[in-house]
């Protein structure tokens, strides 16, 4: 299991460790202003997409953010919607639209609104949603926000529209964490779900690996190399404060939060070999879960907290297994392919995403857990670190495109993909955070 050994090796010298072994010595600091900006490129055609018209918001030409464009990009990236031409129309949330006109334009729904700068410098953002087919007013909302929260307001509008029209909760106001390498500098970023509005949580001349969100979205666990070996920290995002959680003899790596936030599952080599342990999130004595002569690593909890999925070479090559969160006899989960790593379990418990080596290429796959059916989602060759959106409808992952690393999102059928193309170096190690509290 050479690749897994390299993941926790103290010398990031191999080509694999340069890509995947990002273990950092980091100084804790509050979120810094954004330097990495993204553009979203959506590709592919879904089998069923709802046609929606987003009329430019009244007053948004004078706004620092084009609200309607952000909402449309969010909805299209979900794979559930396609934009309809809304040119030549002037509407806001108080208008009574001619729905027959929008039916002629083949729109099933319509969104219009306004952006108004207030005397105190804040912005009043309002919108309304119409069901064009049924001729129904589906309501709207208003947000009074500082300039820095205009994008968040747009994402919340997209969440509202998505939920009203699909019945599923939207994920556009959630956040992702990821790592960039620019020159000799490594940075851990927290960004909007579309990759924009990135803010630096941690920075170092050393690498960074395995950022993972707590279930309440307030903390990130990660692995640091500041002691010249891997150690696990927990970082409070809002304050930048952190605490050391695992610094035992040997390597401390691959943290994963329990859903209740009380526990971290980690990989430790303190007893020789790499085995799975749990440790209180506030620190304390680890409890060993696996007892094998193999390498056991990359734990991930199921959403109900009852099961841990992990990677082991106990069968001779890396495969994904599962066991009770309290320990016990593991059972093998992946049987398609000879090399499967990096498990991620959807919040609804239906899907397992992972990376499978196929003819020397590393490709994103998804398994329906109830049936065991497996599908390859990508045609790229260097995919890594999948993470599900909290509504279980999208996956974010890292890959290599055009000679550079980038983040992608994909629908579960692989039909709609969006590239988040950064300008601040190679991008890797994504983790999708939980739903945000309104």
């Amino acid at each position: 299991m050479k690749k897994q050994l390299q993941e926790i090796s103290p010398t990031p010298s191999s080509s694999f460790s340069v890509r995947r072994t990002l273990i950092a010595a980091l100084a804790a600091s509050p979120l810094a202003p954004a330097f990495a900006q993204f553009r979203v490129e959506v590709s592919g055609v879904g089998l069923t997409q709802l046609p929606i018209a987003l009329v430019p918001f009244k007053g948004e030409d004078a706004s620092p953010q084009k609200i309607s464009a952000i909402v449309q990009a969010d909805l299209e990236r979900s794979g559930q919607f396609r934009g309809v031409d809304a040119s030549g129309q002037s509407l806001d949330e108080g208008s009574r639209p001619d729905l027959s006109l929008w039916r002629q334009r083949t729109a099933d729904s319509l969104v219009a609104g306004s952006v108004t700068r207030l005397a105190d410098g804040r912005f009043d953002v309002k919108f309304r949603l119409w069901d064009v087919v049924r001729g129904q007013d589906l309501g709207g909302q208003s947000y009074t926000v500082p300039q820095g929260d205009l994008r968040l307001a747009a994402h919340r509008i997209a969440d509202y529209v998505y939920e009203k029209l699909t019945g599923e909760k939207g994920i556009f106001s959630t956040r992702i964490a990821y790592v960039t390498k620019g020159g000799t500098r490594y940075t851990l970023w927290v960004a909007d779900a579309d990759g924009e509005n990135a803010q630096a949580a941690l920075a170092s001349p050393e690498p960074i690996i395995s950022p993972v969100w707590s279930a309440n979205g307030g903390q990130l666990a990660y692995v640091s190399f500041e002691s010249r070996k891997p150690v696990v920290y927990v970082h409070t995002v809002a304050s930048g404060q952190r605490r050391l959680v695992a610094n035992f003899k040997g390597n401390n790596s691959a943290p994963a939060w329990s859903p209740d936030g009380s526990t971290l599952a980690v990989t430790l080599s303190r007893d020789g070999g790499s085995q799975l342990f749990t440790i209180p999130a506030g620190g304390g004595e680890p409890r060993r879960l696996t007892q094998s002569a193999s390498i056991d690593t990359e734990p991930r909890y199921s959403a109900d907290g009852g099961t841990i999925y992990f990677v082991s070479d106990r069968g001779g090559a890396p495969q994904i297994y599962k066991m009770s969160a309290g320990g016990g006899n593991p059972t093998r989960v992946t049987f398609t392919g000879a090399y499967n790593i990096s498990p991620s379990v959807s919040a609804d418990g239906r899907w397992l995403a992972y990376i499978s080596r196929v003819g020397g290429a590393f490709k994103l796959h998804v398994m329906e857990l109830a049936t065991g059916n497996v599908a390859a989602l990508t045609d790229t060759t260097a995919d890594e670190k999948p993470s599900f959106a909290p509504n279980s409808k999208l996956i974010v992952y890292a890959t290599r495109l055009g000679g550079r690393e980038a983040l992608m999102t994909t629908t579960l059928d692989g039909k709609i993909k969006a590239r988040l193309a950064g300008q601040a170096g190679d991008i890797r190690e994504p983790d999708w955070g939980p739903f945000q509290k309104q």
Side-chain angles (χ1 to χ4, degrees), residues 316-330:
Q319 294 290 345
I320 297 169
Y321 293 77
K322 68 177 180 179
M323 65 180 176
S324 167
N329 293 324

Side-chain angles (χ1 to χ4, degrees), residues 353 363-366 375-379 383 395 397 410-415 417:
K363 294 179 174 290
L364 174 62
H365 286 63
V366 67
L377 300 186
T378 63
D379 55 11
D383 303 338
I395 300 169
Y397 61 102
T410 181
T411 51
L412 300 194
D413 59 6
K415 302 267 184 204
K417 294 184 176 66

Side-chain angles (χ1 to χ4, degrees), residues 11-97:
T11 335
S13 56
S14 70
S15 60
F16 173 75
S17 60
V18 169
R19 281 182 52 72
R20 297 177 192 250
T21 316
L22 305 175
I23 303 175
L26 300 168
S29 63
L31 294 182
F35 295 103
Q37 290 299 313
F38 288 73
R39 95 184 156 273
V40 177
E41 302 168 356
V42 179
S43 61
V45 178
L47 296 178
T48 57
Q49 292 176 300
L50 303 173
I52 186 167
L54 273 295
V55 180
F57 279 30
K58 181 179 179 181
E60 73 176 7
D61 285 343
S63 166
Q65 301 287 349
K66 301 298 181 280
I67 301 296
S68 63
I70 296 169
V71 175
Q72 182 166 332
D74 281 348
L75 295 173
E76 290 182 354
R77 194 173 62 260
S78 76
Q80 300 289 314
F81 295 85
R82 63 174 176 85
V84 171
D85 179 21
S87 61
Q89 298 298 309
S90 178
L91 299 170
D92 63 19
E93 74 285 349
S95 303
R96 308 309 278 177

